[in-house]
mmCIF file of all heavy atoms in Angstrom:
data_model
loop_
_atom_site.group_PDB
_atom_site.id
_atom_site.type_symbol
_atom_site.label_atom_id
_atom_site.label_comp_id
_atom_site.label_asym_id
_atom_site.label_seq_id
_atom_site.Cartn_x
_atom_site.Cartn_y
_atom_site.Cartn_z
ATOM 1 N N PRO A 1581 39.722 -43.649 11.809
ATOM 2 C CA PRO A 1581 40.029 -44.798 10.920
ATOM 3 C C PRO A 1581 39.095 -44.733 9.738
ATOM 4 O O PRO A 1581 37.925 -44.376 9.800
ATOM 5 C CB PRO A 1581 39.777 -46.008 11.791
ATOM 6 C CG PRO A 1581 39.804 -45.557 13.284
ATOM 7 C CD PRO A 1581 39.461 -44.126 13.247
ATOM 8 N N TYR A 1584 37.969 -50.721 9.941
ATOM 9 C CA TYR A 1584 38.481 -51.529 11.155
ATOM 10 C C TYR A 1584 38.709 -52.946 10.650
ATOM 11 O O TYR A 1584 38.055 -53.412 9.858
ATOM 12 C CB TYR A 1584 37.477 -51.448 12.137
ATOM 13 C CG TYR A 1584 37.080 -50.102 12.708
ATOM 14 C CD1 TYR A 1584 36.135 -49.379 12.118
ATOM 15 C CD2 TYR A 1584 37.791 -49.526 13.796
ATOM 16 C CE1 TYR A 1584 35.750 -47.998 12.532
ATOM 17 C CE2 TYR A 1584 37.601 -48.293 14.145
ATOM 18 C CZ TYR A 1584 36.450 -47.482 13.569
ATOM 19 O OH TYR A 1584 36.254 -46.266 13.944
ATOM 20 N N HIS A 1585 39.609 -53.680 11.410
ATOM 21 C CA HIS A 1585 39.810 -55.065 11.195
ATOM 22 C C HIS A 1585 39.420 -55.782 12.444
ATOM 23 O O HIS A 1585 39.938 -55.368 13.540
ATOM 24 C CB HIS A 1585 41.147 -55.434 10.703
ATOM 25 C CG HIS A 1585 41.381 -55.086 9.224
ATOM 26 N ND1 HIS A 1585 42.618 -54.946 8.725
ATOM 27 C CD2 HIS A 1585 40.468 -54.915 8.229
ATOM 28 C CE1 HIS A 1585 42.574 -54.504 7.440
ATOM 29 N NE2 HIS A 1585 41.274 -54.533 7.063
ATOM 30 N N ASP A 1586 38.620 -56.720 12.379
ATOM 31 C CA ASP A 1586 38.287 -57.419 13.545
ATOM 32 C C ASP A 1586 39.259 -58.597 13.659
ATOM 33 O O ASP A 1586 39.285 -59.582 13.140
ATOM 34 C CB ASP A 1586 36.848 -58.054 13.434
ATOM 35 C CG ASP A 1586 36.474 -58.734 14.765
ATOM 36 O OD1 ASP A 1586 37.238 -58.697 15.785
ATOM 37 O OD2 ASP A 1586 35.160 -59.113 14.857
ATOM 38 N N ARG A 1587 40.239 -58.202 14.716
ATOM 39 C CA ARG A 1587 41.156 -59.212 15.054
ATOM 40 C C ARG A 1587 40.918 -59.646 16.463
ATOM 41 O O ARG A 1587 41.883 -60.014 17.092
ATOM 42 C CB ARG A 1587 42.626 -58.590 14.996
ATOM 43 C CG ARG A 1587 42.924 -58.257 13.484
ATOM 44 C CD ARG A 1587 44.284 -57.583 13.322
ATOM 45 N NE ARG A 1587 44.653 -57.320 12.022
ATOM 46 C CZ ARG A 1587 45.607 -56.599 11.644
ATOM 47 N NH1 ARG A 1587 46.461 -56.069 12.662
ATOM 48 N NH2 ARG A 1587 45.931 -56.341 10.446
ATOM 49 N N SER A 1588 39.674 -59.425 16.853
ATOM 50 C CA SER A 1588 39.428 -59.901 18.349
ATOM 51 C C SER A 1588 39.545 -61.473 18.328
ATOM 52 O O SER A 1588 39.730 -61.924 19.504
ATOM 53 C CB SER A 1588 38.005 -59.437 18.683
ATOM 54 O OG SER A 1588 37.011 -59.844 17.708
ATOM 55 N N SER A 1589 39.378 -62.255 17.350
ATOM 56 C CA SER A 1589 39.630 -63.611 17.533
ATOM 57 C C SER A 1589 40.237 -64.195 16.193
ATOM 58 O O SER A 1589 39.997 -63.604 15.120
ATOM 59 C CB SER A 1589 38.372 -64.356 17.759
ATOM 60 O OG SER A 1589 37.417 -64.087 16.662
ATOM 61 N N SER A 1682 48.864 -56.138 21.942
ATOM 62 C CA SER A 1682 47.473 -55.859 22.308
ATOM 63 C C SER A 1682 46.918 -54.615 21.417
ATOM 64 O O SER A 1682 45.712 -54.604 21.352
ATOM 65 C CB SER A 1682 47.461 -55.377 23.768
ATOM 66 O OG SER A 1682 48.153 -54.251 23.913
ATOM 67 N N LEU A 1683 47.801 -53.812 20.946
ATOM 68 C CA LEU A 1683 47.330 -52.761 20.119
ATOM 69 C C LEU A 1683 46.977 -53.171 18.712
ATOM 70 O O LEU A 1683 46.060 -52.550 17.932
ATOM 71 C CB LEU A 1683 48.545 -51.669 19.973
ATOM 72 C CG LEU A 1683 48.082 -50.189 19.769
ATOM 73 C CD1 LEU A 1683 47.069 -49.802 20.653
ATOM 74 C CD2 LEU A 1683 49.348 -49.477 19.875
ATOM 75 N N ALA A 1685 46.644 -56.537 17.547
ATOM 76 C CA ALA A 1685 45.878 -57.875 17.333
ATOM 77 C C ALA A 1685 45.077 -58.167 18.571
ATOM 78 O O ALA A 1685 45.228 -57.558 19.596
ATOM 79 C CB ALA A 1685 47.013 -58.836 17.120
ATOM 80 N N GLY A 1686 44.386 -59.253 18.469
ATOM 81 C CA GLY A 1686 43.560 -59.563 19.551
ATOM 82 C C GLY A 1686 42.447 -58.673 19.910
ATOM 83 O O GLY A 1686 41.816 -58.652 21.061
ATOM 84 N N ARG A 1687 42.148 -57.754 18.919
ATOM 85 C CA ARG A 1687 40.982 -56.827 19.150
ATOM 86 C C ARG A 1687 40.575 -56.286 17.750
ATOM 87 O O ARG A 1687 40.967 -56.640 16.864
ATOM 88 C CB ARG A 1687 41.608 -55.672 20.002
ATOM 89 C CG ARG A 1687 42.596 -54.923 19.211
ATOM 90 C CD ARG A 1687 43.297 -53.795 19.893
ATOM 91 N NE ARG A 1687 42.357 -52.962 20.553
ATOM 92 C CZ ARG A 1687 42.648 -52.356 21.733
ATOM 93 N NH1 ARG A 1687 43.796 -52.398 22.233
ATOM 94 N NH2 ARG A 1687 41.849 -51.547 22.305
ATOM 95 N N ILE A 1688 39.575 -55.334 17.911
ATOM 96 C CA ILE A 1688 39.236 -54.659 16.663
ATOM 97 C C ILE A 1688 40.292 -53.588 16.364
ATOM 98 O O ILE A 1688 40.384 -52.717 17.405
ATOM 99 C CB ILE A 1688 37.795 -54.011 16.715
ATOM 100 C CG1 ILE A 1688 36.790 -55.300 17.025
ATOM 101 C CG2 ILE A 1688 37.501 -53.286 15.398
ATOM 102 C CD1 ILE A 1688 35.393 -54.713 17.218
ATOM 103 N N VAL A 1689 40.935 -53.622 15.462
ATOM 104 C CA VAL A 1689 42.007 -52.556 15.243
ATOM 105 C C VAL A 1689 41.724 -51.540 14.148
ATOM 106 O O VAL A 1689 41.024 -52.032 13.201
ATOM 107 C CB VAL A 1689 43.358 -53.207 14.835
ATOM 108 C CG1 VAL A 1689 43.905 -54.086 15.999
ATOM 109 C CG2 VAL A 1689 43.346 -53.895 13.551
ATOM 110 N N PRO A 1690 42.135 -50.331 14.186
ATOM 111 C CA PRO A 1690 41.852 -49.326 13.316
ATOM 112 C C PRO A 1690 42.704 -49.308 12.083
ATOM 113 O O PRO A 1690 43.809 -49.707 12.246
ATOM 114 C CB PRO A 1690 42.017 -48.097 14.095
ATOM 115 C CG PRO A 1690 43.026 -48.411 15.164
ATOM 116 C CD PRO A 1690 42.828 -49.792 15.541
ATOM 117 N N LEU A 1711 46.084 -40.750 23.496
ATOM 118 C CA LEU A 1711 44.872 -41.041 24.286
ATOM 119 C C LEU A 1711 45.099 -41.526 25.644
ATOM 120 O O LEU A 1711 44.421 -41.145 26.632
ATOM 121 C CB LEU A 1711 43.948 -42.049 23.482
ATOM 122 C CG LEU A 1711 43.280 -41.481 22.237
ATOM 123 C CD1 LEU A 1711 42.486 -42.692 21.551
ATOM 124 C CD2 LEU A 1711 42.436 -40.337 22.546
ATOM 125 N N PRO A 1733 28.560 -40.774 26.466
ATOM 126 C CA PRO A 1733 29.811 -41.030 27.101
ATOM 127 C C PRO A 1733 30.743 -39.919 27.092
ATOM 128 O O PRO A 1733 30.438 -38.873 26.368
ATOM 129 C CB PRO A 1733 30.448 -42.179 26.196
ATOM 130 C CG PRO A 1733 29.725 -42.028 24.922
ATOM 131 C CD PRO A 1733 28.317 -41.536 25.226
ATOM 132 N N ALA A 1736 36.610 -38.376 26.132
ATOM 133 C CA ALA A 1736 37.764 -39.366 26.146
ATOM 134 C C ALA A 1736 37.288 -40.642 25.736
ATOM 135 O O ALA A 1736 37.940 -41.380 25.014
ATOM 136 C CB ALA A 1736 38.198 -39.160 27.599
ATOM 137 N N THR A 1737 36.258 -41.174 26.415
ATOM 138 C CA THR A 1737 35.669 -42.477 26.117
ATOM 139 C C THR A 1737 35.337 -42.775 24.589
ATOM 140 O O THR A 1737 35.680 -43.651 23.950
ATOM 141 C CB THR A 1737 34.574 -42.811 26.929
ATOM 142 O OG1 THR A 1737 34.860 -42.602 28.296
ATOM 143 C CG2 THR A 1737 34.050 -44.386 26.809
ATOM 144 N N ALA A 1738 34.632 -41.706 24.217
ATOM 145 C CA ALA A 1738 34.273 -41.653 22.843
ATOM 146 C C ALA A 1738 35.415 -41.766 21.736
ATOM 147 O O ALA A 1738 35.455 -42.619 20.885
ATOM 148 C CB ALA A 1738 33.249 -40.431 22.504
ATOM 149 N N LEU A 1739 36.263 -41.069 22.049
ATOM 150 C CA LEU A 1739 37.643 -40.883 21.080
ATOM 151 C C LEU A 1739 38.289 -42.337 21.107
ATOM 152 O O LEU A 1739 38.640 -42.871 20.086
ATOM 153 C CB LEU A 1739 38.497 -39.879 21.567
ATOM 154 C CG LEU A 1739 38.141 -38.376 21.208
ATOM 155 C CD1 LEU A 1739 38.981 -37.470 21.881
ATOM 156 C CD2 LEU A 1739 38.096 -38.154 19.728
ATOM 157 N N ARG A 1740 38.394 -42.885 22.432
ATOM 158 C CA ARG A 1740 39.024 -44.166 22.456
ATOM 159 C C ARG A 1740 38.320 -45.297 21.758
ATOM 160 O O ARG A 1740 38.855 -46.081 21.067
ATOM 161 C CB ARG A 1740 39.202 -44.528 24.036
ATOM 162 C CG ARG A 1740 39.617 -45.919 24.245
ATOM 163 C CD ARG A 1740 40.269 -46.059 25.620
ATOM 164 N NE ARG A 1740 41.635 -45.330 25.680
ATOM 165 C CZ ARG A 1740 42.699 -45.882 25.188
ATOM 166 N NH1 ARG A 1740 42.595 -47.015 24.539
ATOM 167 N NH2 ARG A 1740 43.859 -45.355 25.260
ATOM 168 N N GLU A 1741 37.066 -45.306 21.964
ATOM 169 C CA GLU A 1741 36.130 -46.220 21.320
ATOM 170 C C GLU A 1741 36.103 -46.148 19.773
ATOM 171 O O GLU A 1741 35.775 -47.089 19.132
ATOM 172 C CB GLU A 1741 34.698 -46.327 21.895
ATOM 173 C CG GLU A 1741 34.696 -46.950 23.353
ATOM 174 C CD GLU A 1741 35.065 -48.388 23.342
ATOM 175 O OE1 GLU A 1741 34.658 -49.101 22.470
ATOM 176 O OE2 GLU A 1741 35.640 -48.773 24.408
ATOM 177 N N MET A 1742 36.171 -44.950 19.366
ATOM 178 C CA MET A 1742 36.226 -44.634 18.004
ATOM 179 C C MET A 1742 37.395 -45.222 17.336
ATOM 180 O O MET A 1742 37.489 -45.687 16.156
ATOM 181 C CB MET A 1742 36.047 -43.141 17.742
ATOM 182 C CG MET A 1742 35.737 -42.740 16.295
ATOM 183 S SD MET A 1742 34.077 -43.413 15.841
ATOM 184 C CE MET A 1742 34.070 -42.905 14.116
ATOM 185 N N HIS A 1743 38.615 -45.041 17.986
ATOM 186 C CA HIS A 1743 39.921 -45.663 17.571
ATOM 187 C C HIS A 1743 40.044 -47.085 17.650
ATOM 188 O O HIS A 1743 40.450 -47.811 16.908
ATOM 189 C CB HIS A 1743 41.010 -44.760 18.024
ATOM 190 C CG HIS A 1743 41.234 -43.430 17.405
ATOM 191 N ND1 HIS A 1743 41.757 -43.171 16.199
ATOM 192 C CD2 HIS A 1743 40.810 -42.292 17.911
ATOM 193 C CE1 HIS A 1743 41.803 -41.871 15.986
ATOM 194 N NE2 HIS A 1743 41.131 -41.270 16.968
ATOM 195 N N PHE A 1744 39.752 -47.423 19.045
ATOM 196 C CA PHE A 1744 39.863 -48.825 19.473
ATOM 197 C C PHE A 1744 38.614 -49.405 20.066
ATOM 198 O O PHE A 1744 38.568 -49.512 21.229
ATOM 199 C CB PHE A 1744 41.037 -48.847 20.481
ATOM 200 C CG PHE A 1744 42.382 -48.381 19.824
ATOM 201 C CD1 PHE A 1744 42.765 -47.057 20.156
ATOM 202 C CD2 PHE A 1744 43.163 -49.202 19.053
ATOM 203 C CE1 PHE A 1744 43.964 -46.529 19.680
ATOM 204 C CE2 PHE A 1744 44.374 -48.595 18.559
ATOM 205 C CZ PHE A 1744 44.777 -47.375 18.859
ATOM 206 N N PRO A 1745 37.723 -49.782 19.142
ATOM 207 C CA PRO A 1745 36.352 -50.107 19.712
ATOM 208 C C PRO A 1745 36.423 -51.275 20.395
ATOM 209 O O PRO A 1745 37.140 -52.299 20.070
ATOM 210 C CB PRO A 1745 35.411 -50.221 18.498
ATOM 211 C CG PRO A 1745 36.342 -50.244 17.351
ATOM 212 C CD PRO A 1745 37.746 -49.641 17.619
ATOM 213 N N THR A 1746 35.602 -51.395 21.544
ATOM 214 C CA THR A 1746 35.457 -52.654 22.231
ATOM 215 C C THR A 1746 34.540 -53.684 21.449
ATOM 216 O O THR A 1746 34.823 -54.822 21.187
ATOM 217 C CB THR A 1746 34.706 -52.478 23.626
ATOM 218 O OG1 THR A 1746 35.256 -51.335 24.163
ATOM 219 C CG2 THR A 1746 34.884 -53.592 24.457
ATOM 220 N N ASP A 1747 33.512 -53.007 20.940
ATOM 221 C CA ASP A 1747 32.631 -53.824 20.025
ATOM 222 C C ASP A 1747 31.886 -52.879 19.087
ATOM 223 O O ASP A 1747 31.985 -51.650 19.253
ATOM 224 C CB ASP A 1747 31.614 -54.722 20.767
ATOM 225 C CG ASP A 1747 30.942 -54.144 21.794
ATOM 226 O OD1 ASP A 1747 30.591 -52.801 21.468
ATOM 227 O OD2 ASP A 1747 30.736 -54.566 22.925
ATOM 228 N N GLU A 1748 31.037 -53.414 18.238
ATOM 229 C CA GLU A 1748 30.464 -52.584 17.293
ATOM 230 C C GLU A 1748 29.378 -51.610 18.023
ATOM 231 O O GLU A 1748 29.280 -50.450 17.687
ATOM 232 C CB GLU A 1748 29.605 -53.440 16.269
ATOM 233 C CG GLU A 1748 28.906 -52.709 15.163
ATOM 234 C CD GLU A 1748 29.784 -51.780 14.355
ATOM 235 O OE1 GLU A 1748 31.040 -52.083 14.272
ATOM 236 O OE2 GLU A 1748 29.309 -50.727 14.074
ATOM 237 N N MET A 1749 28.773 -52.144 19.059
ATOM 238 C CA MET A 1749 27.899 -51.140 19.785
ATOM 239 C C MET A 1749 28.469 -49.980 20.372
ATOM 240 O O MET A 1749 27.981 -48.830 20.406
ATOM 241 C CB MET A 1749 26.971 -52.031 20.633
ATOM 242 C CG MET A 1749 25.756 -51.346 20.979
ATOM 243 S SD MET A 1749 24.579 -52.540 21.854
ATOM 244 C CE MET A 1749 24.971 -52.188 23.474
ATOM 245 N N SER A 1750 29.531 -50.280 21.014
ATOM 246 C CA SER A 1750 30.241 -49.067 21.829
ATOM 247 C C SER A 1750 30.834 -48.128 20.655
ATOM 248 O O SER A 1750 30.874 -46.922 20.929
ATOM 249 C CB SER A 1750 31.372 -49.632 22.615
ATOM 250 O OG SER A 1750 32.376 -50.063 21.985
ATOM 251 N N ARG A 1751 31.181 -48.612 19.595
ATOM 252 C CA ARG A 1751 31.628 -47.715 18.516
ATOM 253 C C ARG A 1751 30.517 -46.827 18.040
ATOM 254 O O ARG A 1751 30.708 -45.626 17.841
ATOM 255 C CB ARG A 1751 32.244 -48.513 17.395
ATOM 256 C CG ARG A 1751 33.176 -47.582 16.479
ATOM 257 C CD ARG A 1751 33.443 -48.241 15.215
ATOM 258 N NE ARG A 1751 32.241 -48.149 14.316
ATOM 259 C CZ ARG A 1751 32.055 -47.101 13.379
ATOM 260 N NH1 ARG A 1751 33.044 -46.191 13.258
ATOM 261 N NH2 ARG A 1751 30.917 -47.209 12.702
ATOM 262 N N THR A 1752 29.318 -47.489 17.918
ATOM 263 C CA THR A 1752 28.292 -46.695 17.373
ATOM 264 C C THR A 1752 27.788 -45.512 18.404
ATOM 265 O O THR A 1752 27.586 -44.482 17.959
ATOM 266 C CB THR A 1752 26.973 -47.608 17.222
ATOM 267 O OG1 THR A 1752 27.395 -48.697 16.410
ATOM 268 C CG2 THR A 1752 25.827 -46.870 16.614
ATOM 269 N N GLN A 1753 27.977 -45.821 19.768
ATOM 270 C CA GLN A 1753 27.656 -44.815 20.853
ATOM 271 C C GLN A 1753 28.791 -43.776 20.739
ATOM 272 O O GLN A 1753 28.492 -42.618 20.871
ATOM 273 C CB GLN A 1753 27.589 -45.427 22.144
ATOM 274 C CG GLN A 1753 26.222 -46.163 22.285
ATOM 275 C CD GLN A 1753 26.309 -46.897 23.750
ATOM 276 O OE1 GLN A 1753 27.424 -47.089 24.323
ATOM 277 N NE2 GLN A 1753 25.219 -47.372 24.119
ATOM 278 N N ALA A 1754 29.889 -44.191 20.516
ATOM 279 C CA ALA A 1754 31.050 -43.258 20.491
ATOM 280 C C ALA A 1754 30.953 -42.313 19.324
ATOM 281 O O ALA A 1754 31.059 -41.123 19.424
ATOM 282 C CB ALA A 1754 32.348 -44.049 20.434
ATOM 283 N N ARG A 1755 30.544 -42.870 18.247
ATOM 284 C CA ARG A 1755 30.433 -42.075 17.032
ATOM 285 C C ARG A 1755 29.301 -40.990 17.214
ATOM 286 O O ARG A 1755 29.455 -39.849 16.842
ATOM 287 C CB ARG A 1755 30.048 -42.986 15.756
ATOM 288 C CG ARG A 1755 29.950 -42.182 14.558
ATOM 289 C CD ARG A 1755 29.538 -42.939 13.310
ATOM 290 N NE ARG A 1755 29.184 -42.025 12.209
ATOM 291 C CZ ARG A 1755 28.114 -41.412 12.102
ATOM 292 N NH1 ARG A 1755 27.246 -41.599 12.940
ATOM 293 N NH2 ARG A 1755 28.048 -40.489 11.184
#
Side-chain angles (χ1 to χ4, degrees):
Y1584 301 88
H1585 286 157
D1586 187 353
R1587 292 180 181 166
S1588 47
S1589 61
S1682 64
L1683 206 52
R1687 65 185 313 154
I1688 300 173
V1689 299
L1711 288 177
T1737 306
L1739 286 170
R1740 168 158 290 284
E1741 286 296 324
M1742 192 68 182
H1743 286 280
F1744 300 99
T1746 312
D1747 53 36
E1748 186 50 38
M1749 204 164 90
S1750 71
R1751 198 195 76 94
T1752 307
Q1753 279 174 352
R1755 184 181 170 280

